Amino acid sequence: MERARINRLAVSWERWMPILSWITGWVNCSGWVALVATGGLLGSQLVLGVISLMNPEYEAQRWHQFLIYIAYNLVGFAINSLMNRILPHFNKAAFIWSLTGFTVICITVLACAAPNYNSGDFVFREFLNETGWPDGIAWLLGLLQGGLGVTGFDGVAHMIEEIPNPSVEGPKIMIACVGIGTVTGTIFLVVLLFVAGNIDDIISSSAGPLLAILKNATQNNAGAICLLIFPLVCMLFATTAIMTTSSRMCYAFARDGGLPFSRFFSKVHPKLKVPLNSLILNLVLVIVFGLIFLGSSSAFNAIVASSVVLLDLAYGIPIAINCLRGRNTLPERAFVLPNWFGWILNIISLVYVTLTTILFLFPPELPATGSNMNYCVAAFGIVFVISTITWIVDGRKNYVGPRIEVEVLSGEHGDQPPIPVVEQKA
């Protein structure tokens, strides 16, 4: 009965559903675990920028950044493990804080920099390319930063059962996130470019581009650092939220028997009401990534960059299968786009995923050397090897696919469970 229920709700062909679900689950979990590292990485870079601004003679060491990186992730772990009940309020605070910071920073830098703005021609027409790649390729490689931001919107899907009336509200929230992020992100970047001043000074600044722009606009170290507090705290919010989603994702895949030692990682702590073992797994892996950073920043950057590629593939696989099956295999649901519009969006998504997956494996600049080479493909290869071995040893015999809660898909939602039951994408 359980197998029949899974097959009825699966997007894939019945014969191929277990292996495709396995691949998507591994790619998705690996991408989210790698993504956890980005919050601490970006936060530590901002902190080191503050130190460099206040102490021009300071020379940052890798272990300095490592300690700040670990601190970010330990705080995120503590909040997730000990403060599960306040996570909804924590996320609301993150939303308010980020919009407040966006407003305050934009108004302040525009007011302080007036009337010494860069020209509209510089902001909207000039193209600076120092990568060694042709302009078109360089522009496409710049999509990596946008791709990193897009991955966060997917977190809603993996927290879906913690949302009231999820089949209706979940898609609306995802659309709203994309809309808000696109509008505020575009405005923020345009404002920063107008007040940046000499772009060569910004690029070469040891304080980092963002803090250098804020300093140029305010002409005051204290003012620039005060404004930087907003993104600094945002990175802490982001680290916590990504760890929440990643731990839920690993918990759900382990519950379905997709990970080694699945019984251990699928347990929910009886008192904390969180998948503590899954959280510990994420924390341990993030610390391992940090240790790799101590030895090789190139290897660490490959892990971080692989998060975008892996999650892109996790999005692309179910979309491709759905299109190949005529987009008519999904069950009845409350939120449905017009069929013609769905086709357009799916095709655009597949083109984007295909293009960026290839491009994000390119070296960021030419000529390629051992230090600037993109080792993302190596990180991806490690995930492929581990998932293949576990499939051969255990998955092909015992894995039948995801366990899906019918009530969520039909829009029913009673009392919220302590842990969301997450549907794998294939």
Side-chain angles (χ1 to χ4, degrees), residues 230-312:
F230 285 104
L232 268 173
V233 176
C234 279
M235 287 302 103
L236 181 59
F237 282 130
T239 302
T240 304
I242 296 171
M243 188 176 290
T244 303
T245 302
S246 180
S247 64
R248 301 305 203 261
M249 191 68 228
C250 293
Y251 155 79
F253 197 42
R255 183 206 58 213
D256 297 337
L259 294 179
F261 311 106
S262 285
R263 288 188 178 182
F264 179 76
F265 292 120
S266 62
K267 289 183 178 179
V268 177
H269 194 279
K271 292 184 178 179
L272 298 176
K273 303 299 182 182
V274 296
L276 186 61
N277 294 341
S278 178
L279 275 167
I280 293 174
L281 172 65
N282 275 264
L283 179 64
V284 169
L285 289 175
V286 167
I287 292 175
V288 170
F289 297 159
L291 294 173
I292 291 173
F293 172 74
L294 287 176
S296 170
S297 59
S298 296
F300 179 79
N301 291 334
I303 294 171
V304 173
S306 70
S307 66
V308 179
V309 177
L310 289 166
L311 290 175
D312 267 1

Side-chain angles (χ1 to χ4, degrees), residues 117-128 189-200 202-203 213:
Y117 300 135
N118 288 328
S119 66
D121 186 73
F122 168 80
V123 173
F124 297 108
R125 294 185 59 189
E126 188 170 344
F127 187 82
L128 301 177
L189 290 175
V190 169
V191 168
L192 291 182
L193 288 172
F194 268 116
V195 303
N198 189 319
I199 198 67
D200 292 326
I202 299 302
I203 294 173
I213 292 175

Side-chain angles (χ1 to χ4, degrees), residues 33-377:
V33 172
L35 193 65
V36 176
T38 60
L41 171 66
L42 296 175
S44 62
Q45 290 175 343
L46 293 178
V47 173
L48 290 180
V50 172
I51 299 173
S52 296
L53 181 66
M54 300 303 295
N55 302 276
E57 303 301 321
Y58 168 73
E59 292 185 10
Q61 303 295 321
R62 251 181 225 175
W63 67 271
H64 299 168
Q65 186 170 358
F66 169 77
L67 292 177
I68 301 170
Y69 164 87
I70 294 299
Y72 261 87
N73 285 288
L74 286 176
V75 172
F77 174 81
I79 294 172
N80 272 292
S81 58
L82 304 176
M83 306 178 188
N84 183 50
R85 292 185 179 275
I86 70 166
L87 276 180
H89 304 291
F90 186 83
N91 291 328
K92 289 179 182 178
F95 178 73
I96 296 171
W97 178 268
S98 61
L99 288 184
T100 301
F102 159 76
T103 305
V104 170
I105 292 175
C106 288
I107 293 175
T108 303
V109 297
L110 286 174
C112 292
N116 300 316
Y117 300 135
N118 288 328
S119 66
D121 186 73
F122 168 80
V123 173
F124 297 108
R125 294 185 59 189
E126 188 170 344
F127 187 82
L128 301 177
N129 178 12
E130 298 183 2
T131 65
W133 290 102
D135 287 352
I137 299 295
W139 185 88
L140 289 171
L141 290 174
L143 293 174
L144 177 62
Q145 284 70 35
L148 179 64
V150 169
T151 55
F153 301 130
D154 176 55
V156 177
H158 304 305
M159 302 291 292
I160 198 68
E161 285 194 13
E162 295 187 16
I163 301 172
N165 196 15
S167 63
V168 176
E169 300 303 326
K172 291 180 180 179
I173 293 173
M174 294 182 73
I175 293 172
C177 287
V178 173
I180 294 172
T182 300
V183 173
T184 57
T186 301
I187 294 173
F188 190 67
L189 290 175
V190 169
V191 168
L192 291 182
L193 288 172
F194 268 116
V195 303
N198 189 319
I199 198 67
D200 292 326
D201 293 340
I202 299 302
I203 294 173
S204 61
S205 173
S206 61
L210 178 58
L211 186 55
I213 292 175
L214 298 179
K215 166 64 186 306
N216 180 75
T218 60
Q219 294 298 307
N220 184 282
N221 285 356
I225 293 172
C226 285
L227 292 178
L228 193 71
I229 290 175
F230 285 104
L232 268 173
V233 176
C234 279
M235 287 302 103
L236 181 59
F237 282 130
T239 302
T240 304
I242 296 171
M243 188 176 290
T244 303
T245 302
S246 180
S247 64
R248 301 305 203 261
M249 191 68 228
C250 293
Y251 155 79
F253 197 42
R255 183 206 58 213
D256 297 337
L259 294 179
F261 311 106
S262 285
R263 288 188 178 182
F264 179 76
F265 292 120
S266 62
K267 289 183 178 179
V268 177
H269 194 279
K271 292 184 178 179
L272 298 176
K273 303 299 182 182
V274 296
L276 186 61
N277 294 341
S278 178
L279 275 167
I280 293 174
L281 172 65
N282 275 264
L283 179 64
V284 169
L285 289 175
V286 167
I287 292 175
V288 170
F289 297 159
L291 294 173
I292 291 173
F293 172 74
L294 287 176
S296 170
S297 59
S298 296
F300 179 79
N301 291 334
I303 294 171
V304 173
S306 70
S307 66
V308 179
V309 177
L310 289 166
L311 290 175
D312 267 1
L313 289 175
Y315 307 151
I317 292 172
I319 294 174
I321 294 171
N322 192 32
C323 288
L324 288 174
R325 301 198 70 187
R327 298 191 78 255
N328 57 11
T329 59
L330 292 175
E332 292 294 326
R333 53 207 183 276
F335 188 94
V336 183
L337 292 174
N339 193 48
W340 63 271
F341 190 48
W343 273 108
I344 292 174
L345 294 180
N346 286 166
I347 291 172
I348 292 175
S349 299
L350 290 176
V351 171
Y352 173 83
V353 167
T354 302
L355 179 64
T356 55
T357 298
I358 295 172
L359 286 172
F360 293 168
L361 301 179
F362 284 20
E365 60 185 41
L366 294 178
T369 64
S371 59
N372 70 9
M373 183 62 186
N374 187 347
Y375 295 100
C376 177
V377 67

